[in-house]
Amino acid sequence: MKKLARVISPLLIACLVLGSLPVAAAAPNASSDGLVSTQDALSADQVQADRKRIDEVLSRQDVQEQLLAQGVDPAEVEARVDALSDQEVRDMADRLDDMPAGASVVGALFAVFVILLVTDILGLTDVFPFTR
């Protein structure tokens, strides 16, 4: 029995190793077989969501008014957004996140005022004399 195990074990190991090589080699070429990876599917969903979000922002009444005030036709803007590549859509959606919510300095100044007021009430700063 030990002789048989000594002969069969290396053969079995070689068969398993050689049998797994084609599977490992085929993994990078999976896209050529018409298969879609999970990452590609999620990326496509994210791009669609970004496009929808950009369209929602551009369809707002105040944005439409600003476009017309600048002399830009909203239909032309929509056509240009539709022509953007996936990477450009991702970049534009990221820039929408970076824009201030109020889109003005007034919101930022109000936030700074509230922060200073709270820290002054807590005694961490000494900015406003009316908080004592």
Side-chain angles (χ1 to χ4, degrees), residues 43-101:
S43 176
D45 287 344
Q46 182 63 38
V47 169
Q48 290 293 52
D50 288 343
R51 282 187 189 276
K52 183 178 178 184
R53 193 161 147 255
I54 292 169
D55 288 340
E56 288 172 357
V57 169
L58 291 176
S59 66
R60 289 185 0 209
Q61 183 64 30
D62 58 335
V63 174
Q64 295 282 332
E65 290 172 0
Q66 285 296 321
L67 288 173
L68 291 174
Q70 298 293 329
V72 179
D73 183 25
E76 182 181 340
V77 171
E78 185 177 329
R80 288 187 180 207
V81 168
D82 290 339
L84 292 175
S85 69
D86 292 346
Q87 182 61 41
E88 291 169 333
V89 168
R90 277 188 236 121
D91 292 343
M92 187 172 182
D94 289 342
R95 276 190 247 135
L96 285 176
D97 291 336
D98 293 340
M99 291 181 177

Side-chain angles (χ1 to χ4, degrees), residues 100-120 125 127-128:
S104 69
V105 177
V106 176
L109 290 176
F110 181 72
V112 169
F113 171 75
V114 169
I115 290 170
L116 287 174
L117 181 65
V118 169
T119 57
D120 208 27
T125 60
V127 178
F128 304 112

